[in-house]
Amino acid sequence: MSFRTTPSVDYVEDVSPGRGALPPRAWYAASDARSLSLNGSWRFRLSPTAGAEDDSFAEEGYDAGNWAEVRVPRHWVLQGDGAFGSPIYTNHLYPFPVDPPYVPTENPTGDHLRVFDLPSDWPSDGGAVLRFDGVESCARVWLNGMELGEFKGSRLAHEFAVGELLKPGSNVLAVRVHQWSAGSYLEDQDQWWLPGIFRDVTLLHRPAGGAGDFFVHASYDHTTGEGTLCVDSDVDGRVTVPALDIDVATGEPVTVAVQPWTAETPKLYDGELVTDGERVPLRIGFRTVVLEDGLIKVNGKAVLFKGVNRHEWHPEHGRALDLETMREDVLLMKRHNLNAVRTSHYPPHPAFLDLCDEYGLWVIDECDLETHGFTEQDWRDNPVDDDRWTPALLDRAARMVERDKNHPSIVFWSLGNEAGTGRGLTAMAEWIHGRDPERLVHYEGDWNCRDTDVYSRMYAFHDEVEKIGQRLDGGTLRRRELPFIQCEYAHAMGNGPGGLADYQELFEKYERLQGAFVWEWIDHGVRHAELGYAYGGDFGEELHDGNFVCDGLVFPDRTPSPGLIEYKKVIEPVHIEGDGANGTVHVTNKQDFADLSALAFEWSCQVDGETVESGSLAVPALAPGESAEVKLPEPPVDGRGGERQWTVRALLADDTSWAAKGHVVAWGQFAVGARPLPSFPATDRPVPDGDRITLGPAGFDARTGALLTVGGVAVDATPRLDVWRATTDNDDGAEWQTDARYGTLWRTLGLHRMRHRLVSVEAGDDALTVRTRVAPAAREVGLDTVYRWTSDGERLRLTVSVTPQGDWTVPLPRLGVRFGLAAADRVEWFGGGPGEAYPDTGTASMVGRWQSTVDGLQTPYVRPQENGARADVRWVELGGLRIEGDPEFWFTARRWTTEQLDAARHRTDLTAGDTVWVNLDHGQHGIGSQSCGPGPLPQYFLKAEPAEFSFVFSTTT
């Protein structure tokens, strides 16, 4: 005899994709058939286990009046101020025991209830379907007490036939959602684990004779300029495209002259699929994707992807994105010269793909599949190599392809991400190739390219990428014949990524290299009342990967980071290079399809960073790949004898759908002549006076040689050698990496705790000289440092000489001086700007006259770290001082010390003090991308070697 005391939940751990759902079909936003959104406020009950409650809540008449309320679409852990649990962040570790297909008994389960009224004019003919666009991770559904079925596949659409169950007036929809299920083993993407109904829930009328599934085939022949349209449809009908005078039956091909769709020229034709019972709007883009001559070609031309990986994210709503947030993402991408998106690591909300069609972005659409956690056991029991799971994998592949197949922006189907290899992936690839031979198949884990049409890698270092470009990388014959992309590179975590320009140079040099996708688009910080933005570990997770979830080109509020500004410059579609001596500019169109007719060009001439004259520049409408030499006007006469530069910009000539007229697409800057260096005759001598020494406008401590004042400006802390920076995520690297992680090596050596030993203070005839040794405790290496102060009576010059002693086996983080000012707010400088720059992240740094506040100089990385350096600075004014450099220098200014910045975990840990700390740096170590990729290239190392640099101080009042 046996009995059950809790409801059956066997389906939760069943490896099948579920039961009861209709076959997948093409998604479309609207038709003339009725629909009813069921988004909004739902009643909600959270249980600790999958079987804690029976199914009675799904019955009609159930009283849920004492339940809480949640918003749908939304995740329940991001509602209720913590009452409904908390988010969990892991990169690849499963936050439960790896025992497939089983999941813990502690399985948070959310019962959702929505009572809705069927509109009185709801059609009585035909049927209806209930559509869920996204539920994590397993859902069981009832309508009016009748069970419809259950499903897994969190980021995929599922529909249920409900026409016979709908009633006039009140209807009860009940959904039980389990956080963990067998499906969770297939969804181990690098992201927050967030249960709930997070995409739209919609009731759709399906009229008699309404459209079923349909497939829009719209190819383009680049040799004839003609497109061929054929719409295969489950339900017979007609297809009309008024602009092309097309009116044909479904299934009947028609060929006409068209303008093709590309990411640069996203031409869409409005059409309509008309069946006996429904009219469905179509947006048709004609284009052909092929693998030819070892290259990915669209419309007969090889394309270069300048892409980004995009997780869906909102700092308050998680993966529940509204249309305007999706549009904001696309507009930001277009305005920053991106042309491609990989939908890591699942199909996005389908409305996002509509936007990619409309505005123009190449898309790699990725299946909702990742089993990365099995790498911890050397991929043993990996579901993708276990035939029991293959139906679930094929279901996920089919739901992606069938839902999204009518989007011209999609050029690749991706099988998933970091799921090892196995028979299930081969089955997916074979099915996709058979269902849609008009697109290519991608999967990064298939290095032998058995199942894929492209050789794809993550984070290959620059030298390996060059070998791949030269086809010297080995591998199978098939692989060597395929094009190469980096589906992930340039890890945009914290300050960085560095080395973008060096990668881009390789992509443009070798035709086999067809571009790359930065990881990733947005920092996944969760808005938090006390921390600003929370990341892994801030919710008390048992296992977590810290701020590894904050690795985007935009901050959580979608403010562009310096990394995105850099990327925009590196991948700009027009290259502008000048020759100041000859007064010419070389312009190259780097686009694949469009000429330059959409752009206007302007020149400006700067003297000491200030524009003295500007005008328009006539540049031919160059075809893709073409270049032209364009003569600049005679430089204006200016009697100041300062540093002169040309700046040439390419701007939108007219408003577009994604930016207004005048938006800067690309720019170039080059000097007319060499920078004149300031002369400095040392005329004054140090004058001892008790415990002070006076030298020109400055006062020093006679015992220590510390600078106390310059004119009337008090110096809180004297300039002294500084080699430490608050390590960046890329300095610290990733724990699994075997390459040198310099953040760790620097701390091991003790560079974060350098000691300063005063050797001597010498007041000579023409200089005050202070000799020191700077070294870490417990180590024999050091830096002999000499500060030589001179004056011309009105100004003060500091010359710093540094001589390393001992065996320095690591580069320095920075090399310069740090000092403190009692008061400073407004900052003005002549040099690189307006944002931060470091040796391998400075492509977008434009030389000019810039202004800011001290607070405005800070870059708000979610985890505080070294930030805010301005590069190539000639002079800076702040706190009543003007500081000129010889040579040019980096400067930072902040209201906390480097040590305080280094210790902070969140921006809210930083408290402004009374002193503004200023760094004047002769050198900075490169940034690199070692939080997941390569460190800085050797040319960006700051080697410990003899150096000398100078700064001239004067007052501004």
Side-chain angles (χ1 to χ4, degrees):
M1 176 179 172
S2 65
F3 61 93
R4 183 182 295 273
T5 58
T6 58
S8 172
V9 292
D10 292 345
Y11 65 91
V12 174
E13 297 175 330
D14 191 332
V15 299
S16 75
R19 60 182 178 83
L22 294 169
R25 66 186 179 111
W27 189 97
Y28 48 93
S31 73
D32 65 345
R34 289 289 299 277
S35 67
L36 177 66
S37 172
L38 298 180
N39 296 342
S41 178
W42 290 50
R43 289 291 182 175
F44 178 75
R45 176 181 65 186
L46 182 65
S47 304
T49 67
E53 301 286 350
D54 61 27
D55 304 340
S56 60
F57 82 104
E59 298 173 1
E60 295 181 84
Y62 184 89
D63 183 7
N66 63 343
W67 287 20
E69 292 188 33
V70 294
R71 298 292 299 179
V72 169
R74 204 72 61 84
H75 307 275
W76 72 65
V77 294
L78 295 181
Q79 303 182 70
D81 294 326
F84 306 140
S86 301
I88 300 170
Y89 168 60
T90 61
N91 169 29
H92 77 281
L93 296 174
Y94 289 105
F96 48 79
V98 180
D99 184 21
Y102 305 109
V103 294
T105 301
E106 296 84 0
N107 188 358
T109 296
D111 289 334
H112 299 69
L113 270 179
R114 175 76 154 87
V115 178
F116 65 93
D117 288 333
L118 195 68
S120 59
D121 59 348
W122 187 266
S124 58
D125 67 314
V129 299
L130 178 66
R131 184 175 71 207
F132 295 88
D133 282 317
V135 182
E136 183 176 330
S137 74
C138 173
R140 188 178 178 191
V141 186
W142 297 261
L143 181 64
N144 292 329
M146 295 296 295
E147 184 174 354
L148 303 180
E150 77 274 341
F151 63 90
K152 307 178 188 75
S154 298
R155 269 67 71 171
L156 298 161
H158 294 81
E159 292 182 331
F160 296 91
V162 297
E164 296 181 355
L165 299 178
L166 289 173
K167 302 187 305 181
S170 180
N171 291 263
V172 179
L173 175 58
V175 185
R176 173 164 284 170
V177 180
H178 307 283
Q179 175 156 18
W180 310 122
S181 70
S184 301
Y185 285 99
L186 304 180
E187 296 171 6
D188 188 27
Q189 293 100 343
D190 175 9
Q191 61 181 345
W192 294 97
W193 298 88
L194 298 172
I197 305 172
F198 68 95
R199 287 187 187 155
D200 307 290
V201 182
T202 312
L203 182 67
L204 301 165
H205 177 235
R206 302 310 305 136
D213 190 24
F214 59 91
F215 197 160
V216 177
H217 302 274
S219 62
Y220 177 73
D221 186 336
H222 66 278
T223 63
T224 65
E226 293 177 322
T228 298
L229 175 67
C230 182
V231 179
D232 295 331
S233 176
D234 288 351
V235 177
D236 291 342
R238 297 197 68 80
V239 177
T240 62
V241 186
L244 298 175
D245 293 327
I246 290 176
D247 185 345
V248 296
T250 54
E252 181 180 330
V254 58
T255 299
V256 295
V258 298
Q259 297 178 47
W261 188 98
T262 74
E264 295 166 9
T265 56
K267 175 63 178 178
L268 292 174
Y269 290 92
D270 290 324
E272 198 169 47
L273 168 62
V274 182
T275 66
D276 287 345
E278 189 174 12
R279 307 177 77 93
V280 180
L282 305 176
R283 303 211 74 191
I284 302 166
F286 290 87
R287 56 105 186 95
T288 296
V289 184
V290 298
L291 184 64
E292 184 179 79
D293 303 324
L295 298 172
I296 305 158
K297 292 185 179 180
V298 180
N299 302 339
K301 292 187 176 182
V303 296
L304 183 62
F305 296 115
K306 304 169 184 178
V308 68
N309 288 272
R310 175 186 176 269
H311 265 302
E312 294 178 303
W313 188 250
H314 186 283
E316 296 172 352
H317 306 152
R319 285 186 287 281
L321 267 61
D322 60 275
L323 180 62
E324 287 312 304
T325 299
M326 292 183 250
R327 189 185 307 275
E328 184 178 356
D329 279 345
V330 171
L331 293 177
L332 278 170
M333 291 175 188
K334 293 292 289 186
R335 291 168 185 166
H336 289 86
N337 294 332
L338 278 76
N339 71 1
V341 178
R342 175 180 176 227
T343 69
S344 54
H345 295 296
Y346 43 82
H349 191 292
F352 178 78
L353 299 173
D354 287 340
L355 295 169
C356 293
D357 295 341
E358 177 183 352
Y359 292 100
L361 289 167
W362 308 115
V363 174
I364 297 179
D365 197 6
E366 192 146 273
C367 195
D368 190 9
L369 172 62
E370 180 167 337
T371 64
H372 199 177
F374 284 90
T375 190
E376 293 295 313
Q377 54 203 57
D378 198 26
W379 297 107
R380 188 175 62 257
D381 297 328
N382 185 8
V384 305
D385 201 28
D386 183 333
D387 292 339
R388 295 174 301 168
W389 294 81
T390 299
L393 303 183
L394 290 172
D395 179 76
R396 289 172 183 244
R399 290 190 180 278
M400 171 182 68
V401 172
E402 303 296 3
R403 191 197 76 166
D404 297 343
K405 58 182 175 283
N406 294 326
H407 291 282
S409 56
I410 298 173
V411 292
F412 271 99
W413 301 115
S414 179
L415 303 181
N417 181 70
E418 293 177 319
T421 57
R423 298 184 298 276
L425 289 167
T426 298
M428 293 171 70
E430 290 176 349
W431 184 89
I432 292 174
H433 275 123
R435 177 59 176 146
D436 184 17
E438 298 169 358
R439 291 183 175 92
L440 306 179
V441 171
H442 166 273
Y443 178 65
E444 183 271 339
D446 181 15
W447 283 18
N448 289 328
C449 302
R450 180 183 63 181
D451 302 321
T452 63
D453 299 311
V454 63
Y455 178 30
S456 177
R457 289 282 301 281
M458 297 179 183
Y459 307 106
F461 288 17
H462 296 77
D463 56 351
E464 183 181 5
V465 169
E466 181 154 34
K467 289 180 181 177
I468 294 170
Q470 297 168 333
R471 302 185 186 273
L472 299 176
D473 54 304
T476 63
L477 175 62
R478 171 171 168 77
R479 191 180 89 180
R480 293 197 302 273
E481 292 175 343
L482 292 179
F484 175 80
I485 63 171
Q486 287 237 67
C487 68
E488 293 180 24
Y489 87 125
H491 199 246
M493 185 176 177
N495 188 333
L500 283 169
D502 306 276
Y503 270 122
Q504 194 65 25
E505 183 179 349
L506 296 173
F507 300 152
E508 294 176 4
K509 181 177 181 180
Y510 300 103
E511 68 171 6
R512 187 190 184 194
L513 308 180
Q514 291 199 250
F517 296 75
V518 169
W519 185 269
E520 64 157 308
W521 176 241
I522 188 169
D523 286 344
H524 297 196
V526 177
R527 197 179 302 278
H528 193 284
E530 298 176 0
L531 303 176
Y533 291 108
Y535 50 77
D538 289 332
F539 297 99
E541 301 102 303
E542 181 181 48
L543 295 173
H544 67 85
D545 286 284
N547 68 312
F548 204 69
V549 77
C550 294
D551 45 11
L553 290 171
V554 297
F555 296 125
D557 64 358
R558 285 180 161 74
T559 300
S561 76
L564 181 57
I565 304 303
E566 174 78 356
Y567 197 32
K568 175 187 177 180
K569 174 62 178 168
V570 166
I571 61 175
E572 59 190 7
V574 183
H575 182 64
I576 300 170
E577 186 175 24
D579 185 338
N582 294 327
T584 59
V585 61
H586 187 83
V587 179
T588 302
N589 181 1
K590 288 185 165 185
Q591 297 179 109
D592 295 322
F593 298 93
D595 64 22
L596 298 188
S597 59
L599 301 179
F601 290 78
E602 67 175 25
W603 62 269
S604 60
C605 187
Q606 292 81 38
V607 176
D608 289 340
E610 292 185 303
T611 297
V612 295
E613 196 169 333
S614 62
S616 61
L617 187 67
V619 175
L622 301 170
E626 286 188 347
S627 299
E629 293 281 346
V630 180
K631 185 68 176 176
L632 291 165
E634 289 297 319
V637 177
D638 185 275
R640 286 178 287 180
E643 181 178 355
R644 294 193 297 169
Q645 289 170 318
W646 289 105
T647 303
V648 176
R649 294 177 173 86
L651 321 170
L652 288 180
D654 296 293
D655 291 346
T656 69
S657 62
W658 49 270
K661 176 182 179 179
H663 168 78
V664 178
V665 173
W667 58 271
Q669 191 175 59
F670 45 98
V672 175
R675 172 198 172 198
L677 294 176
S679 63
F680 191 92
T683 58
D684 279 28
R685 61 178 299 168
V687 179
D689 183 12
D691 59 357
R692 292 173 64 93
I693 295 175
T694 300
L695 177 58
F700 296 83
D701 183 293
R703 184 178 60 86
T704 65
L707 178 66
L708 303 174
T709 60
V710 179
V713 177
V715 177
D716 272 12
T718 189
R720 67 175 187 171
L721 192 73
D722 191 12
V723 299
W724 182 245
R725 70 185 186 195
T727 54
T728 68
D729 293 312
N730 288 306
D731 289 336
D732 291 335
E735 61 182 16
W736 64 81
Q737 293 171 327
T738 58
D739 282 17
R741 297 161 54 204
Y742 285 107
T744 299
L745 294 176
W746 292 337
R747 290 186 195 277
T748 300
L749 186 58
L751 300 189
H752 61 308
R753 49 177 176 77
M754 299 289 274
R755 306 289 179 85
H756 296 253
R757 177 170 64 86
L758 180 63
V759 176
S760 65
V761 177
E762 305 165 8
D765 291 340
D766 60 350
L768 174 64
T769 303
V770 180
R771 302 181 187 276
T772 68
R773 178 177 170 82
V774 183
R779 304 294 175 183
E780 49 107 19
V781 297
L783 300 167
D784 288 348
T785 307
V786 179
Y787 309 91
R788 189 172 188 272
W789 297 95
T790 57
S791 176
D792 65 357
E794 295 182 354
R795 298 176 296 168
L796 182 70
R797 182 184 184 108
L798 168 62
T799 300
V800 182
S801 302
V802 180
T803 305
Q805 300 295 334
D807 184 16
W808 283 88
T809 59
V810 298
L812 299 172
R814 70 176 349 129
L815 181 66
V817 296
R818 177 171 60 165
F819 67 99
L821 291 175
D825 186 29
R826 296 296 303 174
V827 184
E828 183 175 358
W829 73 98
F830 172 29
E836 72 180 28
Y838 291 83
D840 54 350
T841 68
T843 309
S845 182
M846 177 183 286
V847 174
R849 288 275 288 270
W850 308 104
Q851 293 184 349
S852 178
T853 62
V854 170
D855 292 339
L857 294 174
Q858 314 311 308
T859 303
Y861 295 115
V862 174
R863 185 192 75 80
Q865 54 199 273
E866 166 62 35
N867 73 90
R870 270 54 179 183
D872 303 317
V873 176
R874 283 74 162 154
W875 56 256
V876 58
E877 294 181 354
L878 77 165
L881 289 181
R882 178 184 175 97
I883 306 162
E884 298 176 77
D886 180 12
E888 295 146 10
F889 60 98
W890 279 271
F891 93 89
T892 59
R894 51 178 69 103
R895 300 187 187 279
W896 37 78
T897 65
T898 299
E899 291 72 24
Q900 290 168 328
L901 181 64
D902 199 23
R905 293 186 65 248
H906 295 88
R907 287 156 49 195
T908 51
D909 294 335
L910 295 168
T911 302
D914 295 331
T915 300
V916 171
W917 295 95
V918 181
N919 276 90
L920 310 175
D921 290 318
H922 175 63
Q924 281 270 358
H925 187 63
I927 296 295
S929 188
Q930 202 172 0
S931 51
C932 194
L937 288 169
Q939 60 264 36
Y940 304 118
F941 280 31
L942 179 58
K943 297 178 181 179
E945 55 190 13
E948 184 172 284
F949 47 94
S950 298
F951 304 103
V952 175
F953 298 80
S954 59
T955 58
T956 58
T957 56

